[in-house]
Amino acid sequence: MKSILAIVSLLACLTVSVRPATLQTEDCGFPFQLVEGLCILIYPRERGNWFEMRLFCAEQSTGGNLVKITTPSQLVAIQEAIHQSGHNETHYWISATDEAQEGVWQYTDGTDVPMGPFFWRYECSEGYPLRPSHDPNANCAALDQETHYHMADFSCQGDVGSIPFSPICQKNIY
């Protein structure tokens, strides 16, 4: 009987020790906010090219970077956070790029960027082709203000049109 109780106790300990901790808003630290499991900073007042904004994010927290969006629920939650904050007058850089190899979109940590119509914008004026385009001059991704913040590829300099580019930073707390 003692051995059965010992085994049950051991299993209970193992179950508790492998259960992931739930991230809380306060774990992110000001000025970051918790959005769908990510600690992010939507910062429309800082504007610049993809490289400058990546550096800006690194300066905001140790290991900080432009945001990495991997699930539809993360994208929707970030879109909602942008609209709720009222900061919807800019494009927002994310950490996706195809600079290493044209047409192969990866985040700066080397993981693949999700593809498909849920994540990427359509070009309504051109018969609905799906982005990203295969333009060798458009190697950095941003959430596009003109399409309710779906991903689109732009020049990394962010020098297209009159809409500025700002960062959404992600803080790594692990």
Side-chain angles (χ1 to χ4, degrees):
M1 183 67 161
K2 286 185 179 183
S3 61
I4 292 174
L5 288 175
I7 291 172
V8 169
S9 297
L10 179 61
L11 288 174
C13 290
L14 289 174
T15 303
V16 170
S17 66
V18 297
R19 193 175 296 156
T22 303
L23 194 59
Q24 302 294 318
T25 300
E26 56 271 7
D27 295 331
C28 294
F30 183 80
F32 288 81
Q33 62 180 313
L34 182 63
V35 175
E36 192 61 29
L38 303 173
C39 291
I40 65 168
L41 171 62
I42 300 170
Y43 205 78
R45 287 173 283 195
E46 192 69 29
R47 297 177 175 182
N49 69 44
W50 188 83
F51 305 101
E52 293 166 341
M53 296 302 92
R54 190 166 176 222
L55 180 61
F56 172 81
C57 290
E59 293 170 349
Q60 302 312 301
S61 70
T62 304
N65 200 349
L66 292 167
V67 70
K68 173 183 169 182
I69 302 168
T70 59
T71 67
S73 60
Q74 287 175 343
L75 178 60
V76 168
I78 290 171
Q79 290 166 334
E80 289 173 357
I82 291 168
H83 290 295
Q84 288 172 357
S85 71
H87 299 305
N88 54 0
E89 67 283 346
T90 180
H91 301 298
Y92 286 99
W93 290 121
I94 64 173
S95 68
T97 181
D98 76 341
E99 269 205 327
Q101 182 180 349
E102 182 60 34
V104 178
W105 285 87
Q106 294 186 317
Y107 287 109
T108 54
D109 67 0
T111 58
D112 291 336
V113 175
M115 303 306 279
F118 187 87
F119 291 95
W120 292 86
R121 76 173 272 182
Y122 281 98
E123 289 296 334
C124 295
S125 62
E126 299 174 18
Y128 302 105
L130 182 63
R131 298 278 285 266
S133 62
H134 291 287
D135 180 350
N137 298 312
N139 294 320
C140 294
L143 298 182
D144 185 356
Q145 186 266 349
E146 295 176 327
T147 62
H148 305 287
Y149 297 104
H150 283 85
M151 295 179 189
D153 50 336
F154 292 97
S155 160
C156 296
Q157 295 305 312
D159 53 3
V160 249
S162 60
I163 300 172
F165 288 80
S166 297
I168 296 180
C169 302
Q170 181 175 345
K171 179 180 187 178
N172 186 354
I173 61 166
Y174 293 72

